[in-house]
Amino acid sequence: MGMTQGEPKDIAQLSLEFLQGRHRILGYLVGLLGDGNTAEDILQETWLRLARAQEKGIIVEDVVAWSRGTARHLVQHHWRSKGQQKELVNSELLDLVDLSFQENDTDNALADRRDALRQCLAQLPDKTRSLLDMKYEEGLSFNRMAERLSKSPTALMMKLSRIRTKLGECVDRRMRFEDFSWS
Amino acid sequence: MNISKVIDIWSRLREGLVVSQEEELSLRAWLATPENRKAFHSHLLLEGELNELLKESRSSAVTPQSKEAESQHYSSAPMLKVMRFPWKAVSSLAGLLIFAFLLSHLANLIHPPLQQNVAQVASLTGFPKISRGQLEWPMTKSSPLRMGDRISTGEKEELELLLKDGTLIWVGPRSSLVIPKDFQLNHNLELEFGHLHLDVAKREQNLKVSLSTMAIEVLGTRFTLLHHPQVGKEMVHLQDGQVRASISNGDRRVLTPGQELLIENSGPAQLQQKAPYRNLKGIVESASSSAIVLIDESNNKHELRLAHPQHEPAHSTVDLGVPSPGQSISLKLIAGPNRIIHWETLPATSTHYK
């Protein structure tokens, strides 16, 4: 989990590295939980664990990797405490999801991706954008969204999944300076 | 299986909804190859980015009224939405009021130089405020800050700002910091009053912080600033690196680590040599008072030096009421984003507590 031999970093250095890698850890948490608010809470708790580890003299070499490992434990604890996601808590599937982040998680071109995503969001039809706003801006659960829109949670989940896939394609194309059409 | 189907199964799994064993097995098989894991990671990362971007646009462009959980904190804030035009809201009386309000402040909001974000709130305690033009609203995590913004904290509120270059600025309780409209040109911040701690990243142009009679030019460093105009005190304490203080009487001083420059009632600058602070930890609270705590581990001691807002610069003596010899003082240390990380009880007769 990012620990090696060497000199312990001071809290200011760890804080800086944590803040610089914050979006990567948060991205991992949102990916696992699908709920930005819970993800933010667990991110805060992860920071606390990191600060405590520093106080105990534990050497943390790679702050993002250490934080992701800690965040995973906290997510598992969260699921256990809610008695939900039993299939996921200790599953091989969770290991594979973790592996996908370990293998691919870098800061490469993050700012460019963000700009591309902003442009793609600006092109979205109003109805599509309002679905994203409900989920990510307001932080509504699928059940609440379903109540508001009189649709089933599963249908909304699939709809959002398709929107994200399209957004991903749009971002990739913009990164290659190609035009993208939503039609 | 295509990526949409994969994400659909994953979404249902993490929401605790029904997923057949067959679906779970196919998802596991699909994730067995690195190429598929890359596509999966890319999709999840996009979701994280969406979450951050949309929350960011919300905190920068609108004072939310719809989110029930936050409504009490935002009830006094103005309602604005500049990213997307509120046609539906305009149809109601409340919407008309928003519309009138928006129009009256449009010049402030669309002025191009003000639109550029120069910093982001990295963490906060309480509900520090952003003032932009004539508007004021509570900050949230990840709130972006623009040139022209004033950041103010109340008692027991604090926040950390991350500038685009990686500079970290801790704004203490009862403080007011202005990011001037010409910040990108002059790299100058204004501490109107209160307490700042800066950990400055290497920059092409030197960062400056102005107080009433003193301006600090940062030459690459970590330092602490205190400004209490009501009692006529300004102080800079340097931990690492070098800063240059320019005083309104024309005097200039270059500080080295451990030096502290104090100006009282616009009098002459007093330069003192002190052991450098090593770790800024946050706020210490007792039943009777609160103060800023700095922990000095430079000589292998866990020494607490308090910079008490009302008794500046009382670093060597802790003023936490009047503890009698042998009496214990309970200290609550707060560090990092928003949370208490450590409780410690120290004897009042300790070397550092008189």
Side-chain angles (χ1 to χ4, degrees), chain A residues 10-12 15-16 19-20 22-23 26-27 30-34 36-37 40-41 44-45 47-48 51-52 54-55 79 84-85 87-88 92-94 96-97 99-101 103-105 110 113-114 117-118 121 126 129-130 132-133 135-139 142 144 153-154 157-158 161-162 164-165 167-168 171, chain B residues 3-5 7-8 10-17 24 27-29 31-32 34 37-38 40-58 62 66-68 81 83-84 120 122-123 141-142 160 162 166-168 199 222 278-281 302 335-342:
Chain A
D10 67 20
I11 192 74
S15 307
L16 189 61
L19 289 170
Q20 283 168 344
R22 178 183 178 278
H23 59 273
L26 189 61
V30 173
L32 281 194
L33 293 157
N37 295 330
E40 291 268 6
D41 287 345
Q44 289 277 326
E45 187 60 32
W47 155 258
L48 280 182
R52 282 190 200 127
Q54 193 272 342
E55 289 227 324
W79 282 336
Q84 294 175 341
Q85 290 88 1
E87 299 82 358
L88 269 180
E92 189 191 325
L93 198 50
L94 192 55
L96 286 168
V97 175
L99 186 61
S100 78
F101 275 84
E103 289 171 338
N104 301 296
D105 193 18
L110 180 89
R113 277 186 63 85
R114 282 276 165 100
L117 182 56
R118 273 194 194 95
L121 280 170
D126 278 353
R129 173 64 192 246
S130 65
L132 289 174
D133 284 348
K135 182 66 193 158
Y136 299 107
E137 189 181 340
E138 291 189 58
F142 281 111
R144 290 292 305 277
T154 311
M157 227 177 270
M158 288 181 72
S161 157
R162 281 197 293 272
R164 288 195 305 263
T165 305
L167 271 174
V171 167
Chain B
I3 183 76
S4 286
K5 180 66 184 164
I7 295 298
D8 169 47
W10 172 248
S11 300
R12 280 186 282 133
L13 263 172
R14 71 184 181 188
E15 290 282 329
L17 299 175
E24 198 183 326
L27 176 59
R28 206 183 301 175
L31 282 171
R37 283 198 295 273
K38 189 172 181 181
F40 185 74
H41 168 263
S42 181
H43 192 104
L44 292 196
L45 201 65
L46 182 91
E47 197 174 10
E49 285 170 347
L50 269 176
N51 178 67
E52 282 200 80
L53 265 184
L54 294 179
K55 280 209 163 70
E56 186 182 294
S57 70
R58 174 184 196 230
V62 63
S66 56
K67 195 176 175 187
E68 294 145 30
K81 193 156 186 169
M83 298 296 286
R84 311 183 69 222
Q120 193 170 26
S123 70
K141 280 181 284 187
S142 304
E160 279 181 311
L162 187 64
T167 294
L168 199 59
D199 197 335
R222 286 196 296 154
R278 289 301 167 92
N279 289 316
L280 177 67
K281 285 290 184 179
H302 209 59
N338 308 339
R339 302 291 179 91
I340 299 159
I341 62 163
H342 184 54

Side-chain angles (χ1 to χ4, degrees), chain B residues 76-309:
Chain B
S76 61
M79 293 175 290
L80 268 177
K81 193 156 186 169
V82 295
M83 298 296 286
R84 311 183 69 222
F85 196 80
W87 291 114
K88 284 180 186 170
V90 170
S91 65
S92 66
L93 184 59
L96 281 170
L97 287 172
I98 298 168
F99 186 51
F101 195 65
L102 197 152
L103 275 180
S104 68
H105 294 90
L106 201 56
N108 253 341
L109 290 162
I110 61 171
H111 193 265
L114 298 187
Q115 291 291 1
Q116 192 161 6
N117 299 336
V118 291
Q120 193 170 26
V121 177
S123 70
L124 51 79
T125 300
F127 295 92
K129 305 274 192 305
I130 301 177
S131 307
R132 185 171 297 160
Q134 293 172 31
L135 310 178
E136 183 179 273
W137 63 92
M139 288 180 181
T140 56
K141 280 181 284 187
S142 304
S143 283
L145 294 163
R146 297 173 183 171
M147 290 184 283
D149 285 353
R150 171 180 281 104
I151 300 121
S152 52
T153 56
E155 196 168 356
K156 296 184 182 178
E157 290 178 344
E158 59 177 355
L159 71 146
E160 279 181 311
L161 300 178
L162 187 64
L163 299 190
K164 277 192 164 179
D165 64 2
T167 294
L168 199 59
I169 302 176
W170 177 81
V171 184
R174 285 176 285 179
S175 301
S176 177
L177 177 71
V178 174
I179 305 173
K181 290 179 181 176
D182 59 359
F183 176 74
Q184 277 208 322
L185 200 65
N186 296 323
H187 303 267
N188 191 46
L189 295 168
E190 290 169 17
L191 177 62
E192 293 185 313
F193 57 86
H195 194 138
L196 284 190
H197 177 76
L198 292 95
D199 197 335
V200 180
K202 282 188 179 171
R203 306 168 57 94
E204 285 179 11
Q205 273 190 273
N206 293 338
L207 184 73
K208 285 169 256 177
V209 188
S210 302
L211 286 64
S212 292
T213 57
M214 173 158 72
I216 307 300
E217 187 178 357
V218 184
L219 310 172
T221 200
R222 286 196 296 154
F223 67 104
T224 303
L225 283 173
L226 290 158
H227 186 199
H228 296 298
Q230 73 276 21
V231 290
K233 285 189 179 175
E234 295 170 47
M235 192 273 280
V236 54
H237 176 98
L238 182 65
Q239 288 159 264
D240 287 326
Q242 210 175 46
V243 297
R244 181 164 48 223
S246 303
I247 300 150
S248 56
N249 63 8
D251 196 5
R252 280 187 159 206
R253 303 284 182 92
V254 174
L255 272 68
T256 54
Q259 285 190 326
E260 191 170 288
L261 192 69
L262 172 70
I263 296 176
E264 288 184 285
N265 298 317
S266 306
Q270 305 159 46
L271 191 64
Q272 295 175 301
Q273 183 68 44
K274 303 207 171 186
Y277 302 149
R278 289 301 167 92
N279 289 316
L280 177 67
K281 285 290 184 179
I283 301 171
V284 71
E285 291 177 348
S286 76
S288 58
S289 63
S290 68
I292 307 303
V293 64
L294 300 140
I295 296 188
D296 181 7
E297 291 163 331
S298 56
N299 51 5
N300 297 322
K301 284 181 188 168
H302 209 59
E303 179 186 350
L304 293 169
R305 296 168 170 212
L306 296 195
H308 195 291

